[in-house]
Coordinates of all heavy atoms in Angstrom, one line a residue:
G156 N -143.2 99.0 -24.1 CA -144.0 99.1 -22.9 C -144.2 97.8 -22.2 O -145.0 97.7 -21.2
Q157 N -143.6 96.7 -22.6 CA -143.7 95.4 -22.0 C -142.4 94.8 -21.7 O -141.5 94.8 -22.6 CB -144.6 94.5 -22.8 CG -144.9 93.2 -22.2 CD -145.8 92.3 -23.1 OE1 -146.1 92.7 -24.2 NE2 -146.2 91.2 -22.6
R158 N -142.2 94.2 -20.6 CA -140.9 93.6 -20.2 C -140.6 92.3 -21.0 O -141.5 91.5 -21.2 CB -140.8 93.3 -18.7 CG -139.4 93.1 -18.2 CD -139.4 93.1 -16.7 NE -138.0 93.1 -16.2 CZ -137.2 94.1 -16.1 NH1 -137.7 95.3 -16.4 NH2 -136.0 94.0 -15.6
T159 N -139.4 92.1 -21.5 CA -139.1 90.9 -22.2 C -139.0 89.7 -21.2 O -138.6 89.9 -20.0 CB -137.8 91.0 -23.0 OG1 -136.7 91.4 -22.1 CG2 -137.9 92.1 -24.1
L160 N -139.3 88.5 -21.7 CA -139.2 87.4 -20.8 C -137.7 87.0 -20.6 O -136.8 87.4 -21.3 CB -139.9 86.2 -21.5 CG -141.4 86.3 -21.7 CD1 -141.9 85.1 -22.5 CD2 -142.1 86.4 -20.4
P161 N -137.5 86.3 -19.4 CA -136.1 85.9 -19.1 C -135.5 85.1 -20.3 O -136.2 84.4 -21.0 CB -136.2 85.1 -17.9 CG -137.5 85.6 -17.2 CD -138.4 86.0 -18.3
A162 N -134.2 85.4 -20.6 CA -133.5 84.7 -21.7 C -132.1 84.3 -21.3 O -131.7 84.7 -20.2 CB -133.5 85.7 -22.9
R163 N -131.4 83.6 -22.2 CA -130.0 83.3 -21.9 C -129.1 84.0 -22.8 O -129.3 84.0 -24.1 CB -129.8 81.7 -22.1 CG -130.5 80.9 -21.0 CD -130.3 79.4 -21.3 NE -128.9 79.1 -21.1 CZ -128.4 77.9 -21.3 NH1 -129.1 76.9 -21.8 NH2 -127.1 77.6 -21.1
F164 N -128.1 84.7 -22.3 CA -127.1 85.4 -23.0 C -125.7 84.8 -22.6 O -125.2 85.1 -21.5 CB -127.1 86.9 -22.8 CG -128.3 87.5 -23.4 CD1 -129.6 87.4 -22.9 CD2 -128.1 88.3 -24.5 CE1 -130.7 88.0 -23.5 CE2 -129.2 89.0 -25.1 CZ -130.5 88.8 -24.6
E165 N -125.1 84.0 -23.5 CA -123.9 83.3 -23.1 C -122.7 83.8 -24.0 O -122.8 83.7 -25.2 CB -124.0 81.8 -23.3 CG -125.2 81.1 -22.6 CD -125.4 79.7 -23.0 OE1 -124.7 78.8 -22.6 OE2 -126.3 79.5 -23.9
L166 N -121.8 84.4 -23.3 CA -120.6 84.9 -24.0 C -119.7 83.8 -24.5 O -119.5 82.8 -23.8 CB -119.8 85.8 -23.1 CG -120.3 87.2 -22.8 CD1 -119.6 87.8 -21.6 CD2 -120.2 88.1 -24.0
V167 N -119.3 83.9 -25.8 CA -118.4 82.9 -26.3 C -117.0 83.1 -25.7 O -116.5 84.2 -25.7 CB -118.3 83.0 -27.8 CG1 -117.2 82.0 -28.4 CG2 -119.6 82.7 -28.5
K168 N -116.4 82.1 -25.1 CA -115.2 82.2 -24.4 C -114.1 82.9 -25.3 O -113.8 82.4 -26.4 CB -114.7 80.8 -23.9 CG -113.5 80.9 -23.0 CD -113.2 79.5 -22.4 CE -112.0 79.6 -21.4 NZ -111.7 78.2 -20.9
G169 N -113.5 83.9 -24.7 CA -112.4 84.6 -25.4 C -112.8 85.5 -26.5 O -112.0 86.1 -27.2
A170 N -114.2 85.8 -26.6 CA -114.7 86.7 -27.6 C -115.9 87.4 -27.1 O -117.0 87.0 -27.2 CB -115.0 85.9 -28.9
G171 N -115.6 88.6 -26.5 CA -116.7 89.4 -25.8 C -117.7 90.0 -26.8 O -118.7 90.4 -26.4
D172 N -117.4 89.9 -28.1 CA -118.3 90.4 -29.1 C -119.2 89.4 -29.7 O -120.0 89.6 -30.6 CB -117.6 91.2 -30.1 CG -116.6 90.4 -30.9 OD1 -116.3 89.3 -30.4 OD2 -116.2 90.8 -32.0
R173 N -119.0 88.1 -29.2 CA -119.8 87.0 -29.8 C -120.5 86.3 -28.6 O -120.0 86.0 -27.6 CB -118.9 86.0 -30.5 CG -118.3 86.6 -31.8 CD -117.2 85.6 -32.3 NE -117.7 84.3 -32.4 CZ -116.9 83.2 -32.3 NH1 -115.6 83.4 -32.2 NH2 -117.4 82.0 -32.4
L174 N -121.8 86.0 -28.9 CA -122.7 85.4 -27.9 C -123.6 84.3 -28.5 O -123.8 84.3 -29.7 CB -123.6 86.4 -27.2 CG -122.9 87.6 -26.5 CD1 -122.8 88.8 -27.5 CD2 -123.7 88.0 -25.3
V175 N -124.1 83.4 -27.7 CA -125.2 82.6 -28.0 C -126.4 83.0 -27.2 O -126.3 83.1 -26.0 CB -124.9 81.1 -27.7 CG1 -126.1 80.2 -28.0 CG2 -123.7 80.6 -28.6
V176 N -127.5 83.4 -27.9 CA -128.7 83.9 -27.2 C -129.8 82.9 -27.4 O -130.1 82.5 -28.5 CB -129.0 85.3 -27.8 CG1 -130.3 85.8 -27.1 CG2 -127.9 86.3 -27.6

Side-chain angles (χ1 to χ4, degrees):
Q157 185 177 4
R158 196 169 188 81
T159 57
L160 295 177
R163 292 181 65 184
F164 286 75
E165 303 169 84
L166 287 165
V167 174
K168 190 173 182 180
D172 60 345
R173 291 170 50 207
L174 303 92
V175 176
V176 178

